[in-house]
Amino acid sequence: MTQNLQPMATFQPLAGIRVIDFTRVLAGPYATMLLAELGADVIKIEMPQVGDETRAWGPPFVDHTSAYFHAVNRGKRSVVLDLTGPQGRAAVDSLIGTADVVVENFRPGVTERLGIAADEVVARHPSVIYGSITGFGTTGPMAQDAGTEVIVEAESGLMSITGAPGQEPVRFGVAMVDLATGAALVNAVLAALVERGRTGRGRRVDVSLYATAVSALGTVIAGTSAGGGATRAWGSAHPSIVPYRAFTAVDGHVVLGATNDAMFTRLVDALDAGATLGRREWAGNAARVSARAEVDAAIQDAVGRFTVAELLDRLRAHRVLVAPVRTPAEAARSAQAAALGLITDDGGLLIPRSPLGPIGTRELGRAPDLGEHTDAVLAEIGDSIDAKEGV
């Protein structure tokens, strides 16, 4: 059956939804930026003079604001209010009264001190969805502990399996737990909005970096509990597939893999390495895993005879998994990124859109200056005079 689909460029399902954003640093701002990309009106509440501390996380800076801040705060409106005083708190409460969603990721105890604790907000505004991001959740022995990305990577076990074998543990090259937690919060908020459409009532939704990290380890934890042995860092390799890792070519690095035995046979042919890799005992993956060091060494010898371009041509022609190891800058300027419309060029500042960009969500404007929209937003709620005393 043919469906009448809306043009992709009009995909703004959250148009008309207002989000009051108390978040800072990464997980929370990334979540609210995703909501903005889906069409929501996101109002970022910032403290006077300083605002979100990542505004100062540089160099590099763009218009006196860090590139880091620009990357995850686009498409929002910035309002400066002092939540330590009664005028600022009154203005915030008025704003929440016009909103559908509130999002915060403060350290434990901060929302209580600022008068925006979840229980208080939901009691005053029962239709509001109140989303929280914490380090370790709201219950349990670590609930009151501050949990940043690197702390959670260590506590969850992620850091123990990241890095090169035999070397010291390392953190992810980018804060993937923060980003994944932000995406998890968006899922929870969207589900709560659907529920509110049926019941008319909001709810509190909580996600934590720790829960995200432990959940991400699902295959590892399951494998260990099923007798898979102790976990360790594998570098670029895979614990259960050989070959499946990075190798060094004449002029760079490639990642290649054989996820089944037929593909391994094609790999051997592509590398003209039958004499060293075509041994009958290596025909099955389990045997190659057992002989990992020897197999990988033989592949490295073969790969080392070719340039990256030659390897890409050979292995792709033989339908073997292969990719060059690119830098982020190279990926941002790639033909595939351009085809998907993933990169916004804002006067030379390159900003990747979220994974939702290719499905037709709106392209967001530049991140706001501190307090850029204070007067306009307060005027919308009729509190522009009184609230300015709390700015």
Side-chain angles (χ1 to χ4, degrees):
M1 179 184 297
T2 300
Q3 294 180 326
N4 294 321
L5 300 178
Q6 293 294 317
M8 291 180 66
T10 66
F11 187 61
Q12 296 185 42
L14 297 187
I17 296 294
R18 173 168 284 184
V19 178
I20 306 302
D21 176 8
F22 294 104
T23 67
R24 32 179 285 284
V25 188
L26 184 54
Y30 181 70
T32 53
M33 187 177 69
L34 292 181
L35 296 173
E37 193 173 46
L38 288 167
D41 174 23
V42 178
I43 299 174
K44 185 178 180 74
I45 308 299
E46 301 188 72
M47 292 294 283
Q49 299 180 333
V50 177
D52 185 328
E53 60 262 48
T54 62
R55 287 182 177 274
W57 282 15
F61 293 99
V62 177
D63 293 338
H64 309 293
T65 300
S66 71
Y68 188 110
F69 182 87
H70 279 287
V72 291
N73 286 284
R74 299 174 72 82
K76 306 176 186 181
R77 297 197 284 171
S78 173
V79 172
V80 167
L81 290 171
D82 185 355
L83 272 64
T84 64
Q87 291 85 4
R89 290 189 180 190
V92 159
D93 195 62
S94 294
L95 274 173
I96 293 173
T98 71
D100 303 278
V101 180
V102 171
V103 183
E104 62 84 18
N105 65 340
F106 286 113
R107 295 184 302 277
V110 173
T111 57
E112 287 77 10
R113 294 199 300 272
L114 297 178
I116 54 170
D119 292 344
E120 299 174 25
V121 169
V122 172
R124 293 194 300 270
H125 307 284
S127 66
V128 164
I129 293 157
Y130 190 107
S132 296
I133 295 176
T134 61
F136 292 99
T138 57
T139 60
M142 300 183 72
Q144 296 303 308
D145 292 355
T148 64
E149 167 85 19
V150 70
I151 295 299
V152 170
E153 285 188 31
E155 284 282 0
S156 66
L158 274 174
M159 189 175 287
S160 73
I161 62 170
T162 305
Q167 302 298 311
E168 66 179 29
V170 299
R171 63 181 289 273
F172 279 109
V174 67
M176 290 301 299
V177 176
D178 271 321
L179 298 174
T181 303
L185 181 72
V186 171
N187 285 337
V189 166
L190 295 179
L193 285 169
V194 172
E195 180 187 58
R196 192 185 68 171
R198 295 194 304 267
T199 67
R201 296 187 64 83
R203 68 160 54 241
R204 182 179 184 184
V205 292
D206 302 291
V207 297
S208 71
L209 273 66
Y210 187 71
T212 299
V214 172
S215 177
L217 285 163
T219 58
V220 175
I221 292 172
T224 302
S225 67
T231 58
R232 67 175 178 85
W234 289 95
S236 63
H238 192 288
S240 305
I241 304 172
V242 172
Y244 200 88
R245 48 160 282 195
F247 292 91
T248 305
V250 170
D251 58 349
H253 296 85
V254 297
V255 168
L256 62 84
T259 55
N260 56 59
D261 296 336
M263 189 178 294
F264 180 74
T265 298
R266 297 197 299 273
L267 170 66
V268 174
D269 292 340
L271 295 176
D272 294 329
T276 54
L277 288 170
R279 294 161 52 172
R280 180 175 300 178
E281 63 266 30
W282 289 353
N285 180 68
R288 293 194 297 273
V289 170
S290 296
R292 178 188 301 271
E294 192 175 359
V295 174
D296 281 350
I299 293 174
Q300 178 57 64
D301 286 343
V303 166
R305 296 184 288 113
F306 300 102
T307 66
V308 169
E310 290 170 338
L311 288 165
L312 296 180
D313 288 343
R314 282 173 169 264
L315 271 61
R316 286 171 178 168
H318 284 75
R319 294 179 290 115
V320 175
L321 292 173
V322 64
V325 178
R326 300 187 188 274
T327 66
E330 290 169 342
R333 292 176 170 83
S334 70
Q336 187 61 28
L340 294 176
L342 287 178
I343 303 296
T344 296
D345 188 338
D346 188 352
L349 175 66
L350 299 184
I351 300 288
R353 301 182 68 187
S354 84
L356 301 175
I359 68 173
T361 54
R362 64 174 177 159
E363 191 166 346
L364 302 177
R366 180 171 284 202
D369 292 335
L370 180 60
E372 179 178 345
H373 304 97
T374 301
D375 289 347
V377 170
L378 294 181
E380 291 174 9
I381 61 171
D383 283 351
S384 56
I385 298 177
D386 293 339
K388 281 188 177 180
E389 298 180 21
V391 173

